[in-house]
Amino acid sequence: MLDVEDRVRVVIAEDSVLLREGLTRLLTDRGHDVVAGVGDAEALIKTVAELAAEDALPDVVVADVRMPPTHTDEGVRAAVRLRREHPGIGVLVLSQYVEEQYATELLAGSSTGVGYLLKDRVADVREFLDAVVRVARGGTALDPEVVAQLLGRSRKQDVLAGLTPREREVLGLMAEGRTNSAVAKQLVVSDGAVEKHVSNIFMKLGLSPSDGDHRRVLAVLTYLRS
């Protein structure tokens, strides 16, 4: 069982009862607190508002992109609204496919406390749980497929033109929410090599040391907006 400080409070919004119950069981079995489970975007907004009134906001909302009544963009629009009204809440959206427009809309303004995963990724239990906690703590969790599509689009833009192919690869992994050590492991290089690439990325994107710890977030945000 997790220590109290390691637990996260979660609200799940998913119209498939089977998946919603499965996610709830997955999270509670690992010691996290699922404080509510709802089946549509309207109920999600209402539930979070009620929790806010009780000064009991969740740490993170896990929501399907498509929910009733039209099964188009209700879920992501609710997520965008929650990020605007309650910026302290992490939002992790799940989608059957990579929908670049929705990913871009969700990520507009800030890349902190946000995630976009394909539903297939939930099958990797450890990866999914890590993503929930990371987003709840203010981090980023982007599906590699989402990053790949955004990277493909960004190659047509000038803002990242000065980065080498390896630096683009490192920045793409940073956008997935990986630490320097995780990037090094993925690329099979040393931590020092990754640190050098990250420093070069900051320099080429014009992010000075005065930006402090925000440089990583700003770099990822520049990448996502490009």
Side-chain angles (χ1 to χ4, degrees):
M1 186 63 66
L2 295 172
D3 294 332
V4 173
E5 61 269 20
D6 295 325
R7 298 177 188 172
V8 296
R9 289 166 45 81
V10 187
V11 169
I12 299 174
E14 166 60 58
D15 61 295
S16 167
V17 176
L18 185 61
L19 181 54
R20 187 168 71 240
E21 292 301 318
L23 293 175
T24 298
R25 179 67 179 271
L26 188 63
L27 288 161
T28 55
D29 280 355
R30 266 53 175 197
H32 299 298
D33 299 320
V34 177
V35 297
V38 299
D40 59 68
E42 183 178 348
L44 172 59
I45 296 296
K46 180 180 178 181
T47 296
V48 172
E50 291 173 348
L51 290 169
E54 299 170 1
D55 196 24
L57 281 172
D59 298 305
V60 61
V61 168
V62 178
D64 191 354
V65 166
R66 299 174 181 265
M67 287 196 289
T70 69
H71 293 278
T72 54
D73 61 357
E74 285 88 349
V76 74
R77 294 207 175 279
V80 170
R81 177 176 170 180
L82 289 176
R83 279 172 62 75
R84 182 176 65 249
E85 296 179 352
H86 307 285
I89 298 178
V91 174
L92 175 61
V93 299
L94 305 177
S95 180
Q96 194 69 41
Y97 311 102
V98 177
E99 299 177 273
E100 186 178 316
Q101 176 184 347
Y102 297 156
T104 301
E105 185 173 4
L106 181 68
L107 295 162
S110 173
S111 63
T112 61
V114 63
Y116 189 114
L117 296 181
L118 295 183
K119 286 187 174 180
D120 288 347
R121 204 67 57 185
V122 177
D124 188 329
V125 173
R126 181 174 180 180
E127 185 172 340
F128 171 70
L129 292 171
D130 286 348
V132 171
V133 173
R134 188 159 65 245
V135 171
R137 302 300 186 220
T140 306
L142 298 182
D143 195 285
E145 290 298 322
V146 175
V147 172
Q149 285 206 17
L150 293 173
L151 179 59
R153 181 188 58 175
S154 72
R155 288 191 176 119
K156 302 174 184 177
Q157 308 296 325
D158 293 334
V159 67
L160 301 181
L163 300 186
T164 66
R166 176 62 93 181
E167 288 164 356
R168 285 174 178 270
E169 193 172 11
V170 169
L171 185 52
L173 292 170
M174 287 167 59
E176 291 177 22
R178 299 175 188 262
T179 63
N180 284 4
S181 293
V183 172
K185 183 177 180 180
Q186 177 71 20
L187 299 179
V188 195
V189 298
S190 68
D191 286 1
V194 172
E195 290 173 5
K196 183 177 180 179
H197 287 311
V198 171
S199 295
N200 288 338
I201 290 168
F202 290 158
M203 180 185 66
K204 291 179 179 180
L205 294 183
L207 301 174
S208 68
S210 63
D211 292 314
D213 293 338
H214 297 295
R215 286 196 298 173
R216 195 177 189 88
V217 172
L218 292 171
V220 170
L221 192 55
T222 298
Y223 166 70
L224 295 172
R225 285 173 168 172
S226 63

